[in-house]
């Protein structure tokens, strides 16, 4: 045990979890000592804190060691084991639906409907799909061979990577925690899930249920905050899947670089929605509302972040949006039970700050109400905020929708491509030319035309970002592939041979090789015959 | 760090990004045109390429064709043939809850990419990724290795002459140039080289969230079973030797690093190896033009040190002579050097072939599994059980039976590593994919909209969703029609 004697400072950090941070001027491994329980500075024991830090690191090491040994035993490679674990996840969802919904209500105040559809049904359909398809996914894939390697046969065999780490965020803690785990297990890996500490009830329920129903020698939940995550990231993993923001994404990638660990990053960005005038305005409005406020009050990585429409059409669109919002959430949306709360005081303050910014506050055309005690912000629309305002330069991740207006709808494309590539981009139009132009010019993780958020749902489509919005993709078979190594297997025999391959070399051998590598059968004959 | 140099690269990279933003490289015609020019480059300038490789590595022109120019020609043709299909969108189906809608996967270029290649196959390892980068519609910088200066220089000249210099550039230089380049904001980096440098590259890339493909190395074992037919033995020996001494004198990531053989077969094996070494390289291999040289003094010294370790020198059964002035090391065979010696713990990357003997050939499985995963595992055997176990129980980048290195030219097999050998893959369509983003596009129209998607929520809407997600379509219909109340 190291007894840290460096001078100590105490900072009280008023966030929802009432954590007080004690930091040491000589931070170990760039992480501050962290003591989670409320403790007063006078009687806090700093050496205890350092001990706890060491314990966290030891824990991470021993977890990985155990998982590696389980993986080496070969247990997780069998079809039966993988199926048993997937079935265990189904049991968790079936028997503990209530507990999960309760935890989601506690952490996020998620309406039961949203919680069921986005989280429980999301995981359940993903798990069922894996159960159904696994034997097909596990089969080697035949690969074509050509005259160059004739005679030969080839196939691609999927192998697990080994021991993997899944770090999940707070906004869809069940779905974004368990869906990657499903992929990891289906591919035959051992896995650690590190749920977000900002959703403590779901983190706790996941930990409890996974340890109760699943094979804990191969699937573990490590709860905790920055110190625990840092300790985990110091270990050697065979893959890491991280869902969250770009700042931490960089930290994860840098930690992975030390061990040459491949990483899948699901980040975010400002997902734009462009609305043309020649559309069914009511349906479009509903879909935009559903994608923005109907998904965790805008706290969703693929939620429409901001909207672009023409100056001419804006008033009609705003009127349609406000009228539909009223139909869906009532005259006073603050009273509606169908809207999620903001996750915590820190994000609440962040969002109200965006809204109260000088350049923005006078542009509010709808909503703006907020209640800190309930951590609620009403669906809010702001119109034509300046490009340099904060709200247009960071991912909003909340129930505020800026609307920018342009002269011609085509101008919206220029605005979008000047920003970083988002996780999603949406377009509402019936104009075929605009659709094609949009698809051709705008790069994003995924896109939807005349719809929002739906590209996430389909298990046959890869879900992932590009550029600042992430790297790699998963869902359905793509999850299995993300956690697998595709080993090329080439089978040759001793029958055919191209002696031109071997030394000693000659120009005749060169001629022959040229013909072989050009798939030129006639050329081969000619070379053989010496012409 | 020279600040003047900083701004030079920034300027060139800015130019490449502008070219990309202009949309030129996205056109199929541009890509096809560049690939065709690359083909011309390879066919018309093969002499220049052979000369450069002879100068840098002492490679015979047939080896240069077989390992670099030839496979590149094959790959360009493969890309030209597949380009249209690779560039086109693929359709996918969607479930009921999204009905009616269509979905497709649209491949897009990533943008401006960096290819860093190593010195052993300076043309192959620069141009093979380039084919993928061009086919996928990106703008490219190639940073060849300064350790193969003639090749680096010829590569720069040829690319400038044959390809679109507003879109594809070669930036030459050493370590500091490489370090400066990786600090820039790339849309992808494909790196071929050592694990030590790979860590630095990936750490730099992390700052910009740049995805990387790392093609590293490792110790590739070759299991040689006791073959009975003399034809089979001859065939195996030739392939083994070509895959070691005949490929850049063993300086290749997928070269056979060491052999595993049963004790009772080992002396036969060594005898055959010696005989074929002689037929391939003559009585005096140094005079043979068919064996490449060691790249430089530093690597020569490294290899000599591997041989100089105490018990290692004693285990030499053939070869072992070194000529520092000519950077030549004779094809060397060793039998059972100590497993803890450098020659058995580090990647050899040279013409030294240890032969490790085992009681039973099946012991090779545990031997390989107890060591870090290899980029390729080779097995010369007819034993079906052994083959099956190697396929299912031993993890490696690739697995090849009864041959070696040849997986490099199989377009349909992904070429890449696992663990310390790297991650990501390329070759064939995998190269195109490595430099593309597959964007999902979901389209809906306005005809049908499901009222139950929207709040206010109630039990009925919940019931519908429950049924839909269970793919219980009848249940959905019944609830909608009001027959199935909860």
């Amino acid at each position: 045990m190291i007894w840290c004697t460096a001078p100590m400072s105490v900072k009280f950090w008023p966030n929802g979890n009432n954590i007080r941070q004690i930091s040491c001027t000589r931070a170990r491994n760039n992480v501050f000592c962290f003591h989670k329980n409320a403790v007063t500075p006078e009687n806090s024991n700093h050496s205890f804190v350092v001990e706890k830090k060491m314990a966290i690191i030891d824990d991470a090491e021993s977890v990985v060691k155990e998982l590696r040994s389980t993986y080496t035993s070969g247990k997780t490679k069998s079809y039966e084991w993988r199926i048993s674990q997937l079935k265990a996840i189904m049991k968790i969802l079936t028997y503990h639906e209530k507990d999960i919904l309760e935890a989601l209500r506690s952490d996020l105040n998620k309406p039961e409907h949203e919680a069921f559809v986005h989280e429980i049904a999301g995981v359940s359909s993903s798990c069922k799909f894996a159960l159904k398809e696994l034997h097909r996914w596990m089969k080697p894939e035949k690969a074509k061979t050509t005259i160059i390697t004739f005679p030969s046969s080839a196939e691609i065999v999927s192998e697990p990577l080994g021991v993997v780490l899944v770090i999940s965020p707070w906004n869809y803690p069940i779905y974004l925690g368990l869906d990657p785990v499903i992929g990891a297990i289906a591919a035959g890996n051992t896995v650690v899930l590190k749920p977000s500490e900002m959703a403590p009830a779901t983190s706790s329920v996941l930990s409890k249920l996974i340890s109760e129903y699943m094979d804990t020698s191969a699937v573990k939940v490590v709860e905790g905050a920055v110190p625990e995550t840092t300790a985990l990231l110091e270990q050697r993993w065979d893959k890491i899947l991280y869902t969250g923001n770009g700042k931490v994404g960089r930290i994860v990638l840098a930690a992975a670089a030390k061990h040459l660990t491949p990483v899948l990053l699901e980040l975010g960005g400002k997902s734009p929605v462009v609305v043309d005038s020649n559309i069914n305005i009511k349906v479009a409005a509903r879909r935009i509302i559903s994608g923005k406020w109907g998904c965790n009050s805008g706290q969703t990585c693929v939620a429409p972040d901001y909207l672009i429409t023409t100056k001419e059409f804006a008033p009609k669109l705003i009127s349609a949006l406000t009228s539909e919002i009223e139909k869906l959430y009532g005259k006073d949306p603050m009273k509606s039970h169908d809207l999620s709360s903001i996750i915590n005081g820190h994000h609440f303050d962040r969002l109200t700050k965006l809204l109260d910014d000088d350049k923005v506050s006078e542009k509010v055309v709808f909503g703006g109400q907020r209640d800190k005690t309930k951590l609620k912000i009403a669906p809010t629309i702001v119109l034509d905020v300046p490009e340099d305002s904060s709200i247009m330069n960071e991912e909003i991740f909340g129930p505020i929708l800026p609307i920018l207006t342009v002269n011609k709808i085509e101008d919206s494309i220029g605005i979008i491509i000047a920003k970083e590539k988002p996780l999603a981009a949406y377009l509402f139009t019936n104009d075929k030319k605009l659709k094609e132009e949009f698809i051709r010019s705008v790069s994003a993780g995924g896109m939807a035309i005349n719809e929002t958020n739906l590209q996430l749902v389909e298990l046959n489509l890869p879900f992932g970002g590009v550029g600042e919005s992430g790297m790699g993709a998963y869902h359905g078979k793509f999850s299995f592939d993300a956690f697998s190594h595709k080993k090329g297997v080439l089978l040759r025999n001793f029958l055919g041979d191209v002696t031109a391959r071997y030394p000693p070399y000659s120009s005749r051998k060169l001629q022959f090789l040229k013909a072989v590598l050009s798939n030129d059968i006639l050329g081969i004959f000619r070379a053989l015959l010496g012409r | 760090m020279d600040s003047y140099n900083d701004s030079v690269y920034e300027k060139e990279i800015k130019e490449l990004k502008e070219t990309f933003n202009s949309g030129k490289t996205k056109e199929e015609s541009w890509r096809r045109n560049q690939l065709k020019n690359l083909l011309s480059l390879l066919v018309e300038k093969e002499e220049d390429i052979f000369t450069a490789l002879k100068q840098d590595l002492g490679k015979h022109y047939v080896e240069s064709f077989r390992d670099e120019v030839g496979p590149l020609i094959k790959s360009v043709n493969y890309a030209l043939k597949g380009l249209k299909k690779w560039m086109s969108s693929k359709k996918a189906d969607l479930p009921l809850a999204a009905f009616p809608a269509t979905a497709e996967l649209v491949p897009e270029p990533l943008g401006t990419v960096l290819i860093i290649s190593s010195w052993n196959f300076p043309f192959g390892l620069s141009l093979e990724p380039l084919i993928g980068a061009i086919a996928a519609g990106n703008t490219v910088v190639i940073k060849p290795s300064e350790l193969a200066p003639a090749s680096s220089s010829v590569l720069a000249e040829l690319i400038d002459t044959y390809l679109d210099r507003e879109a594809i550039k070669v930036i030459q230089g050493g370590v500091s140039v490489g370090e400066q380049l990786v600090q820039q904001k790339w849309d992808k980096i494909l790196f071929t080289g050592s694990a030590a440098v790979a860590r630095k590259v990936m750490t730099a890339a992390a700052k910009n969230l740049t995805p990387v493909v790392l093609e590293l190395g490792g110790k590739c074992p070759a299991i040689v079973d006791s073959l009975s037919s003399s034809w089979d033995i001859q065939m195996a020996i030739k392939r083994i030797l070509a895959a070691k001494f005949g490929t850049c004198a063993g300086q290749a990531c997928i070269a056979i690093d060491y052999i595993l053989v049963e004790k009772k077969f080992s002396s036969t094996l060594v005898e055959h190896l010696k005989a074929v070494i002689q037929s391939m390289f003559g009585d005096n291999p140094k005079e043979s033009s068919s064996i490449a040289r060691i790249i430089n003094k530093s690597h020569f010294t490294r290899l000599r040190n591997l041989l100089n370790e105490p018990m290692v020198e004693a285990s030499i059964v053939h070869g072992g002579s070194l000529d520092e002035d000519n950077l030549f090391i004779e094809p060397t065979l060793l039998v059972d050097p100590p497993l803890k010696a450098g020659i058995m713990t580090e990647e050899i990357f040279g013409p030294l072939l240890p032969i490790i003997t085992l009681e039973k050939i099946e012991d090779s499985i545990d031997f390989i599994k107890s060591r870090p995963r290899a980029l390729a595992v080779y097995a010369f055997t007819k034993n079906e059980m052994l083959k099956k176990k190697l396929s299912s129980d031993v993890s490696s980048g690739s697995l090849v039976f009864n041959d070696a290195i040849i997986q490099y030219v199989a377009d349909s097999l992904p070429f890449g590593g696992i663990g310390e050998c790297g991650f990501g893959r390329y070759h064939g369509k995998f190269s195109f994919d490595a430099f593309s983003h597959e964007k999902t596009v979901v389209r809906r129209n306005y005809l049908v909209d499901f009222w139950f998607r929207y709040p206010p929520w109630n039990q009925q809407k919940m019931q519908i969703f429950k049924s839909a997600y269970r793919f219980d379509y009848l249940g959905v219909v019944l609830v909608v029609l009001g027959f199935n109340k909860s």
Side-chain angles (χ1 to χ4, degrees):
Chain A
M1 285 303 153
I2 301 171
W3 296 100
C4 179
T5 54
M8 192 171 80
S9 77
V10 177
K11 191 163 68 176
F12 285 82
W13 194 4
N15 60 19
N17 294 339
N18 201 25
I19 292 169
R20 281 166 238 225
Q21 182 178 316
I22 302 167
S23 54
C24 155
T25 56
R26 188 185 67 214
R28 187 181 189 275
N29 297 328
N30 287 325
V31 173
F32 296 121
C33 303
F34 208 96
H35 189 75
K36 205 164 180 181
N37 300 317
V39 82
T40 59
E42 304 88 72
N43 61 16
S44 66
N45 182 346
H46 189 66
S47 53
F48 162 77
V49 168
V50 175
E51 266 180 57
K52 189 161 175 15
K53 179 91 205 40
M54 300 287 298
I56 292 171
I57 293 177
D58 288 340
D59 281 343
E61 275 170 13
S62 71
V63 158
V64 174
K65 200 153 163 247
E66 186 186 345
L67 289 179
R68 201 160 286 289
S69 133
T70 304
Y71 176 70
T72 312
S73 76
K75 168 159 73 155
T76 62
K77 289 178 94 172
S78 77
Y79 175 77
E80 290 73 26
W81 182 87
R82 305 182 202 192
I83 292 286
S84 76
Q85 295 307 291
L86 294 173
K87 283 192 174 151
I89 293 180
M90 288 308 301
K91 285 199 196 120
I92 290 175
L93 296 171
T94 313
Y95 301 142
H96 294 273
E97 186 181 305
K98 255 180 136 350
D99 298 328
I100 294 172
L101 292 174
E102 194 40 57
L104 285 165
R105 177 61 83 169
S106 159
D107 282 335
L108 294 148
N109 206 16
K110 240 185 226 203
E112 191 185 321
H113 186 116
E114 262 189 59
F116 177 79
V117 173
H118 298 158
E119 305 235 36
I120 300 210
V123 180
S124 140
S125 55
S126 167
C127 199
K128 280 199 208 139
F129 190 67
L131 278 163
K132 183 162 152 260
E133 298 291 314
L134 186 61
H135 76 278
R136 218 167 47 86
W137 294 347
M138 283 176 72
K139 277 211 198 101
E141 204 187 299
K142 286 260 164 253
K144 270 206 252 183
T145 54
T146 64
I147 198 169
I148 297 171
T149 54
F150 179 84
S152 64
S153 67
E155 61 182 15
I156 300 174
V157 171
S158 297
E159 315 186 309
L161 292 168
V163 183
V164 306
L165 173 65
V166 173
I167 302 175
S168 57
W170 51 261
N171 56 346
Y172 293 86
I174 302 294
Y175 180 57
L176 296 175
L178 290 177
D179 196 24
V181 168
I182 287 169
I185 290 173
N189 300 279
T190 55
V191 53
V192 166
L193 170 62
K194 159 69 190 64
S196 171
E197 70 280 14
M198 281 165 52
T202 44
S203 172
S204 167
V205 95
L206 277 171
S207 178
K208 181 165 154 292
L209 293 174
I210 286 181
S211 67
E212 205 179 305
Y213 283 85
M214 300 186 73
D215 180 352
T216 53
S217 72
V219 182
K220 290 192 191 295
V221 175
V222 173
E223 294 192 81
V226 172
E228 283 79 8
T229 311
T230 308
L232 285 171
L233 285 172
E234 280 171 16
Q235 308 307 313
R236 184 176 77 81
W237 302 95
D238 296 299
K239 186 133 187 179
I240 300 175
L241 190 153
Y242 168 77
T243 309
N245 65 56
K247 181 157 153 278
V248 178
R250 283 167 165 82
I251 295 172
V252 170
L253 202 47
K258 297 202 184 82
H259 296 288
L260 296 174
T261 299
V263 180
L264 203 167
L265 296 176
E266 295 274 336
L267 309 175
K270 291 184 80 59
S271 302
V273 52
V274 174
V275 184
D276 198 1
S277 47
N278 62 351
I279 49 155
N280 179 330
I281 200 172
K282 196 163 137 186
V283 173
R286 286 187 165 232
R287 289 177 185 175
I288 293 169
I289 293 167
S290 158
K292 177 78 167 184
W293 294 288
C295 287
N296 214 12
S297 267
Q299 300 166 102
T300 300
C301 49
V302 290
D305 185 278
Y306 66 103
L307 191 153
I308 309 178
T309 189
T310 54
K311 286 190 172 15
E312 207 190 310
F313 192 61
K316 256 204 227 134
L317 180 59
I318 293 174
S319 155
L321 283 169
T322 54
S323 122
E324 291 303 316
I325 288 175
E326 193 181 299
K327 282 201 206 124
L328 268 46
Y329 301 111
K331 269 199 148 44
D332 184 6
M334 293 293 276
K335 293 209 177 73
S336 169
H337 290 295
D338 295 330
L339 281 170
S340 297
S341 300
I342 306 305
I343 179 71
N344 60 24
H346 165 70
H347 279 279
F348 183 91
D349 290 340
R350 180 184 64 82
L351 288 163
T352 49
K353 190 153 169 261
L354 289 178
L355 208 47
D356 295 339
D357 183 306
D358 289 335
K359 303 173 188 159
V360 175
S361 53
E362 61 208 17
K363 309 277 189 179
V364 177
V365 296
F366 181 81
Q369 308 99 297
R370 73 290 293 265
D371 179 347
K372 187 150 186 186
T373 58
K374 296 206 180 75
L375 288 176
K376 270 203 138 110
I377 298 178
T380 300
I381 300 176
V382 295
L383 178 61
D384 278 329
V385 292
E387 260 302 312
D388 60 353
S389 53
S390 308
I391 204 170
M392 283 312 297
N393 285 291
E394 51 181 84
E395 188 177 0
I396 296 168
F397 224 68
I400 309 168
L401 179 69
I403 297 183
L404 302 179
T405 59
V406 289
N407 291 322
K408 303 192 319 298
I409 198 63
E410 290 78 9
D411 296 343
S412 59
I413 293 181
I415 296 178
I416 296 171
I417 61 182
K419 295 191 192 307
E420 296 291 351
K421 297 177 192 176
L423 190 51
Y426 306 108
L427 171 66
F428 284 83
T429 187
N430 275 320
D431 179 340
K432 190 164 189 268
K433 226 169 128 243
L434 184 63
K435 281 184 202 175
E436 300 312 317
E437 178 66 30
F438 192 79
I439 293 172
R440 216 169 49 82
S441 320
V442 174
S443 181
M447 278 187 166
I449 310 287
N450 298 330
E451 187 48 270
T452 58
N453 297 13
L454 219 58
Q455 72 275 21
L456 210 109
V457 166
E458 170 45 34
L459 294 166
N460 287 331
L461 295 176
F463 177 68
V466 62
E468 283 287 320
S469 52
M471 57 181 78
Y474 72 119
H475 282 192
K477 180 170 190 286
F478 298 97
S479 294
F480 176 86
D481 292 342
F483 288 105
S484 297
H485 168 62
K486 302 289 180 176
K487 179 169 77 178
V489 180
L490 186 64
L491 173 62
R492 298 208 72 202
N493 55 36
F494 297 112
L495 290 175
D497 205 28
V498 176
T499 52
R501 284 167 67 186
Y502 311 118
Y505 301 126
S506 68
S507 64
R508 169 119 174 266
K509 287 188 175 179
L510 178 63
Q511 211 190 342
F512 190 89
L513 284 173
K514 282 190 171 178
V516 171
L517 282 159
S518 314
N519 271 322
D520 177 9
I521 301 183
L522 271 173
I524 293 172
F525 277 122
R526 255 186 253 126
L528 279 172
L529 294 170
R531 271 187 226 126
Chain B
M1 206 87 52
D2 188 350
S3 62
Y4 169 73
N5 279 336
D6 266 336
S7 57
V8 166
Y9 302 141
E10 274 176 30
K11 190 163 77 82
E12 297 196 324
I13 292 160
K14 194 158 167 271
E15 185 188 338
L16 290 172
K17 291 192 181 189
E18 276 165 14
T19 305
F20 180 75
N21 289 336
S22 76
K24 169 162 73 156
T25 63
K26 284 183 170 182
E27 300 295 320
E28 187 187 331
S29 56
W30 180 88
R31 307 184 203 192
R32 206 167 273 285
N33 189 271
Q34 291 305 293
L35 290 172
K36 286 201 180 119
N37 290 348
L38 187 56
L39 194 57
S40 305
L41 184 165
L42 292 165
V43 170
E44 289 163 19
K45 298 292 180 186
E46 69 171 23
E47 286 299 326
D48 293 1
I49 295 173
F50 293 158
T51 308
L53 287 169
K54 180 84 187 165
Q55 206 174 320
D56 284 331
L57 287 151
K59 270 193 207 188
H60 190 286
Y61 65 84
V62 174
E63 188 184 326
S64 298
F65 182 83
R66 184 199 69 198
D67 293 345
E68 300 207 52
V69 178
L72 285 169
I73 292 175
K74 159 201 74 69
S75 295
V76 177
N77 281 322
Y78 190 77
L80 280 165
K81 194 157 147 243
L83 186 64
K84 206 179 179 69
K85 187 150 177 265
W86 297 353
M87 283 178 67
S88 62
S89 313
K90 289 201 294 275
K91 293 245 168 252
D93 299 315
L94 289 185
L96 179 72
F99 178 80
T102 60
E104 51 184 2
L105 295 175
V106 178
E108 331 182 291
L110 292 169
T112 303
V113 305
L114 174 64
I115 296 170
I116 303 175
S117 56
S118 74
W119 50 261
N120 51 350
F121 296 90
F123 293 93
L125 298 174
S126 304
L127 300 177
E128 186 74 51
L130 179 66
I131 293 168
I134 291 175
N138 300 278
T139 52
V140 189
V141 167
I142 299 175
K143 156 71 186 70
S145 170
E146 74 284 13
L147 296 186
S151 304
S152 172
S153 166
V154 164
L155 187 68
E157 196 192 305
L158 293 178
I159 292 214
D160 188 66
T161 311
Y162 279 83
L163 300 181
D164 182 349
R165 58 173 80 106
E166 287 176 358
I168 302 163
K169 295 188 193 290
V170 176
I171 296 181
Q172 300 191 73
V175 173
S176 77
V177 168
E179 278 173 1
Q180 286 171 58
L181 282 175
V182 296
Q183 302 298 329
Q184 306 299 320
K185 198 163 159 44
W186 303 96
D187 295 294
K188 188 126 188 185
I189 300 177
L190 192 150
F191 170 83
T192 307
S194 71
V197 179
R199 283 181 169 83
K200 295 191 189 146
V201 170
M202 191 172 166
T203 304
K207 297 196 188 84
N208 292 311
L209 286 178
T210 299
V212 303
V213 169
L214 300 177
E215 297 272 336
L216 314 176
K219 287 179 82 62
C220 300
I223 300 171
V224 184
D225 204 354
S226 314
L227 301 163
S228 45
S229 132
S230 66
W231 172 269
D232 292 352
I233 296 176
Q234 277 303 303
M235 203 59 58
I237 300 285
K238 277 197 274 184
R239 290 173 182 178
I240 290 168
L241 291 174
K244 179 68 162 186
F245 308 117
T247 304
C248 207
Q251 299 164 105
C253 53
I254 45 173
I256 293 178
D257 190 279
Y258 64 98
I259 288 179
L260 293 167
V261 70
E262 250 179 31
K263 271 194 170 55
K264 63 177 200 278
F265 190 62
S266 67
S267 48
T268 315
L269 177 66
V270 170
E271 248 178 71
H272 282 289
L273 285 169
K274 286 185 188 176
V276 180
I277 286 176
Q278 210 218 23
S279 70
M280 283 186 175
F281 305 111
D283 290 317
N284 192 353
K286 195 152 73 162
E287 309 291 315
S288 158
S289 56
S290 294
I291 183 163
R293 296 294 185 260
I294 307 305
I295 182 68
N296 62 17
K297 281 221 163 39
S298 161
H299 277 274
F300 184 91
T301 308
R302 179 184 64 79
L303 288 162
R304 184 175 50 203
N305 290 342
L306 287 180
L307 284 180
N308 283 348
E309 278 188 52
M311 310 255 285
V312 175
E313 209 168 346
S315 67
I316 298 177
V317 298
H318 180 91
S321 71
L322 306 125
D323 178 350
E324 188 162 355
D325 294 328
N326 290 309
L327 292 174
F328 172 78
I329 295 180
E330 193 188 349
T332 300
L333 303 173
L334 309 95
V335 176
D336 285 327
L339 295 177
K340 290 211 157 53
I343 204 170
M344 280 311 294
T345 55
E346 304 164 17
E347 189 179 4
I348 296 170
F349 228 67
L352 314 173
L353 181 57
I355 297 159
I356 308 294
T357 62
L358 306 163
E359 287 302 322
K360 307 191 316 302
I361 199 65
E362 288 79 9
D363 296 342
S364 57
I365 306 262
D366 286 335
F367 188 96
I368 296 173
K369 278 175 85 170
S370 63
R371 284 168 171 72
R373 288 173 285 197
L375 188 51
V377 166
Y378 303 110
F380 293 83
T381 180
K382 290 182 143 171
N383 181 336
E384 290 305 320
M385 256 318 258
L386 188 63
K387 284 186 196 170
K388 206 154 172 284
K389 278 205 103 182
L390 284 167
S391 186
S392 62
D393 288 358
V394 177
S395 179
S396 59
S398 309
L399 173 61
V400 184
F401 295 113
N402 302 326
D403 208 332
I405 302 210
I406 196 164
Q407 73 274 25
Y408 187 78
V409 294
D411 301 305
S412 59
L413 291 180
F415 185 75
I418 184 174
E420 285 283 314
C421 304
F423 56 82
R425 63 222 185 137
Y426 70 121
H427 283 197
K429 181 171 188 284
F430 302 106
S431 294
F432 177 88
D433 294 339
F435 290 105
S436 299
H437 166 60
E438 235 182 2
K439 180 172 72 182
T440 61
V441 179
V442 172
R443 294 172 204 250
R444 289 204 68 189
N445 57 33
Y446 296 99
L447 293 178
V448 182
D449 204 29
F450 293 122
W451 50 270
F452 52 81
R453 267 182 74 181
Y454 308 112
W457 303 129
N458 55 39
Q459 261 311 96
Q460 192 192 21
K461 290 184 182 180
M462 176 69 111
Q463 189 69 357
I464 291 173
F465 268 102
K466 287 195 164 173
S467 300
Y469 274 99
R470 267 183 252 130
F471 296 112
D472 173 15
Y473 302 147
L474 182 60
V476 174
V477 170
L478 289 175
V479 178
V480 170
L481 293 176
F483 284 113
N484 203 352
K485 291 202 170 40
S486 64

